[in-house]
Amino acid sequence: MNTAGHSEATALRGLELTPFRGLRYDPDRVGSLAAVTSPPYDVVVRPDGVHHLQSADPHNIVRLILPQAGTPSAGTEQAADTLRRWLDEGILTADPEPGLYVYEQRDGNGMLQRGVIGALRLSEPAEGVVLPHEDVIPPVVADRAALMRATRANLEPLLLTYRGNGTAAEVVERTAQRPPLLSTTTEDGFHHRLWSVTDPADLAGIQSDLAHRQALIADGHHRWATYLRLRAEHPSPSPWDHGLVLLVDTVRYPLRVRAIHRLLHSLPVADALAAVRGLFRIRRLDTPLAEALATLADASCAGNAFLLAGDGAFHLLDRPDPDLLARTIPAGRPAAWRSLDATVLHATLLEHVWHIPEDSPAHIAYIHDTAATVAKAERDGGTAVLMHPIREEVVRDLARQGVMMPRKSTSFGPKPASGLVLRALEI
C-alpha cells in the first residue's frame, strides 16, 4: 500500500468545517435554558420522556425533534409550523455573524468534554473522511429525512470524534477561558457552556488543522445517513452539502462508551429462556442491578454474555454453544466482528433463536438507560436484553477496515444536549 499517497489524499480531503449563524433560544423569552433542552431524539424514552420534557417548558426542543401528532406526516408539519412560529416570535434567534461554536460539558464527577460545533462538508464512507461504524434502520432515516425536509433545519448536532491535539484543540482551550454565550445545568447534573468563535485567525487555525483529520461517527449514524440522503435530493452547491456536527478531539477528551440495550416487546422472559436452554449457560441472579451488571462485565471478559430481565430477576447468558455460533454468524468478516456481543445477539439470538426482526419497532426497542429498560420490560411483560459496552479502539479499528457493526452497538458520551444551538439552512 502506498501510505504516502494515502496520507496525501486524506490531507487533501479531510474534515471541512464551515461557520454558520447559529439559531439559539433567547433566554429572556423562555423559562430557563435548561428547561428547553433535551437529550438527542433517540435517547428520549417514549412516551414518558417526551411528556416530561414537553411539560418542562412550552418551548422545549422536543417539540421539534419528536413532534407528537396523529400521523408521522402531521408530526413533521407540526414541527415545521412550530419552528416558524418560534422564529417569528423571537423565541429562537440567529446569531448576528457566522461562527463555529466551542461546546463544553462537565458533570460533578470529574467528566469534562469540549469540542467544536460547525457545519461539516458531507462525504461518502468511501472517501475515508467520516467513518461510520454501524448500519442504520431505513425507517428511522426516512423519519429523520421527513423532519429535516419540513423544518429545513439541522435541529441537533451529531457527535463525531477525531484524533488531533493540534491547533484546533488549542483554540478550543483558549476560547473556553472567555465568558460564554450561555451557561446552564440540566437535570442530569451536566453543566453546559457555549462560546462562538468568529475571529478569522482562530477560524483559519481550526479549519487548517481539521483539514488533515479523519473522524469517527460516535453518535448519530441515522442523522448522518439522513444528511447524505437529503444532499442527494438537492443539486450542489446547496446548504444541504453540509450537516451540523460536534467534533471532539479524543486525544484531549476521551469519550465514555456505554452499551445500548434491547427491549423485546412481545417476548416474555420465560419464553426467551426456554428457547436458549441448552444453547447458552443460564444463571439466575437475585441481586440488585449494579451487582448483576458487574457479573455481566466479568463474564464478558471470557466471551459473549448477556443479561435478561423483566420477571423480577436477572438471568446471565454466557458460554454459547460453539456449533451454534458457527452455524449462525456470517463468515467472511474479521474475527473481531464475529466475536462482538452485538453480532451474536443479532445474528444468533434475534434471528435464529427468538425469530425477532431487528428493524421492527413493534417487536424491539433500543434504549440507552439501563434501569429504564428493565422497568419497561417488567411493566410490559417483555424481555430486556442488557449488553456490556465495547471498547472504543475496537470500534475505530473496524470502522477503518470499512466493517459495519450491528445496529445500535455502542453509545458514546456524553452526548451533546439538543436545543443549545441549531442550524437553519436558509439563514
Side-chain angles (χ1 to χ4, degrees):
M1 177 178 176
N2 185 344
T3 55
H6 179 74
S7 299
E8 181 181 2
T10 301
L12 290 172
R13 298 294 291 178
L15 300 169
E16 297 178 18
L17 198 64
T18 301
F20 69 104
R21 290 180 62 196
L23 206 59
R24 298 189 294 112
Y25 282 98
D26 182 342
D28 296 329
R29 301 296 307 276
V30 296
S32 73
L33 288 175
V36 295
T37 64
S38 164
Y41 80 97
D42 58 338
V43 179
V44 178
V45 180
R46 298 194 203 207
D48 319 45
V50 175
H51 295 159
H52 171 71
L53 291 165
Q54 284 182 333
S55 63
D57 190 283
H59 302 109
N60 189 282
I61 191 68
V62 77
R63 296 178 184 274
L64 300 183
I65 63 174
L66 284 174
Q68 301 297 292
T71 64
S73 60
T76 57
E77 288 307 316
Q78 176 180 292
D81 291 342
T82 300
L83 178 57
R84 282 191 292 268
R85 186 173 71 253
W86 289 358
L87 289 169
D88 291 342
E89 295 173 356
I91 303 298
L92 288 167
T93 60
D95 283 331
E97 58 180 318
L100 300 175
Y101 295 84
V102 170
Y103 174 48
E104 176 189 277
Q105 294 162 278
R106 185 192 299 266
D107 69 7
N109 302 313
M111 163 62 74
L112 172 65
Q113 179 173 289
R114 290 176 180 147
V116 181
I117 295 175
L120 184 68
R121 180 188 69 87
L122 304 181
S123 59
E124 296 291 341
E127 296 180 50
V129 177
V130 175
L131 303 175
H133 67 267
E134 287 185 4
D135 288 328
V136 296
I137 303 170
V140 177
V141 176
D143 173 75
R144 292 295 99 185
L147 183 63
M148 286 190 207
R149 284 191 205 98
T151 58
R152 300 190 65 79
N154 300 152
L155 300 172
E156 42 186 351
L158 284 64
L159 175 60
L160 307 186
T161 71
Y162 73 101
R163 309 283 292 172
N165 205 23
T167 303
E170 294 169 4
V171 175
V172 166
E173 300 307 309
R174 189 167 64 248
T175 302
Q177 307 310 309
R178 305 195 324 245
L181 284 176
L182 65 84
S183 177
T184 190
T185 301
T186 45
E187 65 179 7
D188 58 5
F190 269 91
H191 188 62
H192 307 261
R193 296 197 294 171
L194 189 77
W195 298 261
S196 64
V197 179
T198 56
D199 178 78
D202 285 343
L203 292 174
I206 292 173
Q207 291 171 318
S208 176
D209 184 11
L210 294 178
H212 303 277
R213 309 296 182 192
Q214 179 186 62
L216 174 74
I217 300 177
D219 185 68
H221 284 82
H222 288 90
R223 283 166 286 165
W224 183 260
T226 301
Y227 288 168
L228 294 177
R229 174 181 291 193
L230 294 175
R231 180 187 66 169
E233 295 176 1
H234 297 82
S236 185
S238 82
W240 300 95
D241 293 341
H242 294 76
L244 186 64
V245 305
L246 165 64
L247 278 164
V248 173
D249 182 350
T250 52
V251 174
R252 294 281 183 108
Y253 301 105
L255 269 65
R256 296 181 308 204
V257 186
R258 292 177 172 171
I260 301 177
H261 309 296
R262 275 66 169 162
L263 176 61
L264 310 180
H265 298 297
S266 56
L267 181 66
V269 174
D271 293 349
L273 292 173
V276 298
R277 192 159 286 115
L279 302 175
F280 283 72
R281 182 174 69 167
I282 304 172
R283 285 183 284 166
R284 180 185 174 101
L285 307 176
D286 291 301
T287 61
L289 175 59
E291 292 182 26
L293 290 173
T295 303
L296 173 65
D298 290 340
S300 295
C301 294
N304 302 115
F306 310 92
L307 270 183
L308 304 191
D311 63 350
F314 297 100
H315 307 270
L316 180 68
L317 307 187
D318 67 353
R319 299 186 183 178
D321 176 9
D323 290 337
L324 172 69
L325 299 184
R327 289 197 313 270
T328 57
I329 295 179
R333 300 287 189 95
W337 181 89
R338 290 172 54 84
S339 62
L340 291 172
D341 285 341
T343 299
V344 173
L345 173 62
H346 283 259
T348 302
L349 285 170
L350 291 180
E351 183 175 350
H352 288 275
V353 177
W354 292 328
H355 307 292
I356 292 176
E358 64 179 356
D359 57 356
S360 169
H363 291 88
I364 186 169
Y366 298 84
I367 304 178
H368 297 72
D369 185 274
T370 310
T373 311
V374 175
K376 280 183 166 292
E378 292 181 346
R379 186 177 66 233
D380 301 341
T383 295
V385 182
L386 306 183
M387 311 278 286
H388 184 67
I390 189 174
R391 300 191 314 278
E392 180 181 357
E393 56 266 30
V394 174
V395 177
R396 193 176 294 274
D397 287 346
L398 286 172
R400 283 178 173 153
Q401 296 176 56
V403 177
M404 294 294 101
M405 296 175 63
R407 296 164 178 171
K408 298 290 185 180
S409 295
T410 58
S411 175
F412 286 89
K415 303 178 190 303
S418 299
L420 296 180
V421 61
L422 293 66
R423 174 177 176 250
L425 273 70
E426 297 174 341
I427 292 180

